[in-house]
Amino acid sequence: MNLRRVWIVARKELLDSFRDRRQLIAITVSTLMTPLLLSFMFGRMAEERRGADEIKVPLVGREYAPVLVDWLEQQAGIQVAPGPEDAETAVRERKQDFVMVIPKNFSERFRESRPANVKLVSDSTATRGRPKVERVRNLLQRYGGETGGLRLIARGVSPSLASAVTVENVEVSSAQQRAAIIFNMIPMLVAMSAFFTAMAITTNATAGERERGSLEPLLVNPVLRFELVAGKWLAAALSSAGGMLVTLSVVTGVLLRVPMQDLGLRFSFGVPEALQLVVALMPMSVVAPAMQMFLFTFARSRKRKAT
Amino acid sequence: MIRVEGLRRAFGPMVAVDNVSFTAHDGAVSGLLGPNGAGKTTSLRMIYGLLRPDAGRIDVDGFDLVADPLGGQERLGVLPDVSGLYPRLTSREHIEYFGELRGPSRAEVRRRTGAWLDALDMRELAERRVGGFSHGERTKVALVRALIHEPQNVLLDEPTNGLDVMSTRAVRGLIRRLREEGRCVLFSSHIMQEVSALCDRIVIIAHGRVVAEGTPAELLELTGKKDLEDAFVSLVETEPHA
């Protein structure tokens, strides 16, 4: 085997495929689409989470329940702001995610230890506001529970009597596991980019060579078939490795920018992990073009039998 | 020099080439003349090592091409029946690719490429991608690509097919030049005028067999006709359909 000839073939295939601008664009889009989409998804998720952590509560009727409002304001991430007069219209027109309304009779009923009513006006079809409403509802229920407990204690009754059944939520999927599902996609993404980028050269260099009729003049040269195949494979493997490195650096860049804490994920993905991935996935760029070339050559020789 | 003896090749039940023998000498232009489907391209393909003959011997400058295809190919320059260029490469890149595959150093290939581009008046085509080339321009590129290693034996499969007058003249001029340089030129054609204008010897093939071989004068004498076209027609038609 003459390595110089292998390299001449590889160089020509690389040059030829990089000139194919349409294919180059198609590959770039198809390999970079997913990481970018991923970053967009992460961004949205983080934003929503952050949104639930810092809630501005539009409140109408603050003066009827000053104690409750004080308590609310002491909760982490809660800010109380004056709400719109017409709460329902404001929510319907999506000017507010939700509005909390304290009716006039609140303090009177509260003082008399009767159930005092608080309204949460929200639109359940607006998913964006849902975590906020959820959080405020939980806080209000907690306030109700605490106050009720105090009342029972004041009357010499244990608060636990009032709760016949308590529900405990056990979340099986830990934050890491949820993160793992998402991050499992990364090696997949990178491996797929190895296939995509190799494809450009392998199709062009096998089936394409025959379709254009350029195989015949090529085979007239006193060059071993093995050298031709090796050169074409080398070109495909190099571009496949290149494609993988680009995809991986984009993914790494995206992940470095994702605010993991905001997502509630404990997962670190940095340059060392990326390098480990490179080592783990490099064999892909060796095997992928070989597999493709085998397939495409087989397809070609079947076609030849037909002619 | 190319010597072919008892060449035979069948595709399934169809015998494309049957017991073809002829010799193409150095410093001479030999024409393989025959109607479409006579077995010209199949014969040439076997000579340039792309098809294995079922039987027969092919001798290129003393190399047994059937036993050692690469050794024979070293001594051949080939223009196949389709130019088969890469649309995204320039003329120069095509020529240099094949030139370097043949072995000489880059600098040497550069030098020869430049000389050829000048010789065929292709300077302005050199750096253009062949994707937009006319048929004649493509043929020129394919020709230079076939000749860049300065082969002793040149095989041309219907080199002027579909070319305009100017390009045809250029190709004919090139063929004469190769003969003057002492090379062995073997080309196939179904065009009578071309063969009579260029060839020192003519091999007429029909239905996969050699029906006549000789100089144009000998062929006229053989058939008793006055011009080569009549001679050709009578030779091809008298061939019994075996």
Side-chain angles (χ1 to χ4, degrees):
Chain A
M1 189 172 78
N2 182 326
L3 285 179
R4 179 171 171 257
R5 285 204 288 254
V6 171
W7 174 239
I8 290 169
V9 174
R11 202 181 53 201
K12 178 255 154 193
E13 294 299 346
L14 283 172
L15 177 70
D16 198 1
S17 78
F18 278 110
R19 290 255 173 95
D20 192 347
R21 213 170 299 153
R22 218 180 304 166
Q23 201 159 31
L24 214 59
I25 291 170
I27 290 170
T28 317
V29 169
S30 57
T31 51
L32 296 189
M33 235 353 222
T34 352
L36 293 177
L37 217 65
L38 208 66
S39 104
F40 179 71
M41 266 165 49
F42 280 136
R44 278 292 297 260
M45 278 164 71
E47 202 175 290
E48 270 174 32
R49 279 275 188 155
R50 252 200 312 271
D53 283 347
E54 284 167 32
I55 303 176
K56 205 190 246 178
V57 184
L59 179 64
V60 179
R62 185 191 180 112
E63 62 275 21
Y64 304 125
V67 183
L68 167 61
V69 176
D70 278 352
W71 182 85
L72 260 184
E73 282 189 319
Q74 280 165 27
Q75 305 306 311
I78 299 283
Q79 267 188 334
V80 179
E85 274 310 307
D86 190 350
E88 283 179 31
T89 314
V91 171
R92 198 173 295 127
E93 288 172 359
R94 306 261 162 113
K95 282 180 190 146
Q96 297 286 352
D97 289 332
F98 71 103
V99 176
M100 181 174 159
V101 179
I102 301 176
K104 235 179 237 169
N105 62 1
F106 183 92
S107 52
E108 190 191 321
R109 292 174 71 95
F110 192 81
R111 217 176 304 120
E112 292 166 5
S113 293
R114 286 195 290 154
N117 196 15
V118 173
K119 270 196 234 170
L120 274 180
V121 184
S122 70
D123 182 349
S124 68
T125 59
T127 48
R128 199 162 57 96
R130 212 180 283 166
K132 297 185 190 176
V133 181
E134 212 51 47
R135 178 113 197 277
V136 173
R137 180 181 296 130
N138 284 338
L139 283 173
L140 289 171
Q141 269 166 4
R142 217 175 86 207
Y143 180 77
E146 278 176 17
T147 315
L150 286 173
R151 284 175 182 168
L152 288 174
I153 288 167
R155 287 164 177 77
V157 181
S158 166
S160 54
L161 275 177
S163 42
V165 176
T166 58
V167 179
E168 193 186 347
N169 288 319
V170 182
E171 176 70 271
V172 177
S173 78
S174 65
Q176 279 96 330
Q177 276 174 313
R178 264 177 287 150
I181 293 169
I182 300 171
F183 286 101
N184 267 342
M185 285 166 63
I186 292 167
M188 267 291 290
L189 272 178
V190 178
M192 264 164 65
S193 74
F195 270 88
F196 277 133
T197 40
M199 188 91 90
I201 290 190
T202 48
T203 49
N204 191 39
T206 56
E209 189 102 57
R210 184 176 156 70
E211 244 170 66
R212 277 189 308 262
S214 54
L215 189 64
E216 188 159 335
L218 184 60
L219 291 180
V220 165
N221 291 306
V223 175
L224 293 172
R225 305 283 154 103
F226 183 75
E227 290 167 348
L228 291 176
V229 173
K232 287 159 184 287
W233 168 82
L234 179 64
L238 284 177
S239 84
S240 160
M244 240 166 57
L245 283 179
V246 170
T247 312
L248 192 58
S249 29
V250 170
V251 168
T252 311
V254 163
L255 291 180
L256 286 178
R257 284 164 166 273
V258 169
M260 296 289 169
Q261 286 78 8
D262 286 353
L263 283 175
L265 303 181
R266 274 195 288 143
F267 190 96
S268 69
F269 186 90
V271 176
E273 285 79 9
L275 289 178
Q276 282 172 9
L277 253 183
V278 170
V279 174
L281 288 175
M282 245 346 144
M284 275 313 278
S285 60
V286 172
V287 174
M291 276 166 52
Q292 289 170 358
M293 281 176 70
F294 176 75
L295 281 173
F296 297 151
T297 312
F298 180 66
R300 193 197 70 208
S301 61
R302 278 191 51 175
K303 205 168 145 196
R304 171 178 284 178
K305 265 183 199 159
T307 49
Chain B
M1 189 175 79
I2 299 169
R3 186 182 291 135
V4 172
E5 271 169 38
L7 213 54
R8 181 190 157 88
R9 172 75 200 209
F11 298 100
M14 213 272 286
V15 181
V17 171
D18 191 8
N19 199 22
V20 165
S21 305
F22 61 83
T23 303
H25 296 279
D26 286 348
V29 178
S30 311
L32 218 49
L33 182 67
N36 290 325
K40 302 187 294 288
T41 297
T42 305
S43 301
L44 287 177
R45 275 192 174 154
M46 285 190 276
I47 298 171
Y48 57 70
L50 221 72
L51 269 181
R52 267 190 90 77
D54 295 336
R57 272 180 53 83
I58 301 163
D59 186 296
V60 178
D61 291 346
F63 283 89
D64 182 349
L65 200 125
V66 180
D68 174 21
L70 295 194
Q73 282 178 341
E74 292 273 4
R75 316 197 57 79
L76 288 176
V78 179
L79 179 81
D81 58 348
V82 282
S83 52
L85 302 176
Y86 306 101
R88 290 183 295 272
L89 297 189
T90 67
S91 312
R92 183 187 292 283
E93 283 159 354
H94 274 94
I95 297 161
E96 290 184 352
Y97 177 39
F98 273 43
E100 286 185 45
L101 273 182
R102 289 281 183 168
S105 71
R106 265 200 112 155
E108 172 64 11
V109 171
R110 280 263 159 92
R111 190 190 64 74
R112 286 191 203 170
T113 305
W116 271 108
L117 291 174
D118 284 339
L120 285 185
D121 201 14
M122 291 171 65
R123 271 286 163 202
E124 62 209 74
L125 297 180
E127 316 303 336
R128 273 173 48 198
R129 299 191 188 180
V130 305
F133 279 18
S134 71
H135 184 64
E137 289 165 338
R138 283 165 194 268
T139 305
K140 276 185 180 178
V141 175
L143 262 173
V144 178
R145 187 172 72 166
L147 298 172
I148 187 67
H149 57 292
E150 294 170 2
Q152 175 59 29
N153 305 281
V154 180
L155 300 182
L156 310 167
D157 196 355
E158 310 215 349
T160 59
N161 216 359
L163 294 189
D164 62 20
V165 183
M166 293 312 292
S167 306
T168 304
R169 281 195 159 196
V171 171
R172 285 183 188 168
L174 181 64
I175 290 175
R176 289 202 184 91
R177 198 184 112 189
L178 292 170
R179 171 173 58 189
E180 278 156 28
E181 288 170 355
R183 299 183 202 274
C184 165
V185 180
L186 173 63
F187 80 97
S188 77
S189 179
H190 60 268
I191 303 161
M192 201 63 228
Q193 292 85 333
E194 182 138 297
V195 175
S196 57
L198 282 171
C199 288
D200 302 302
R201 283 187 74 79
I202 300 172
V203 179
I204 295 180
I205 292 190
H207 310 291
R209 292 181 188 180
V210 176
V211 293
E213 186 185 355
T215 63
E218 283 169 353
L219 290 177
L220 288 179
E221 203 175 309
L222 185 75
T223 52
K225 304 284 181 186
K226 275 197 178 139
D227 73 85
L228 263 175
E229 189 160 323
D230 290 341
F232 172 65
V233 170
S234 78
L235 280 166
V236 168
E237 280 181 347
T238 50
E239 162 66 8
H241 292 257

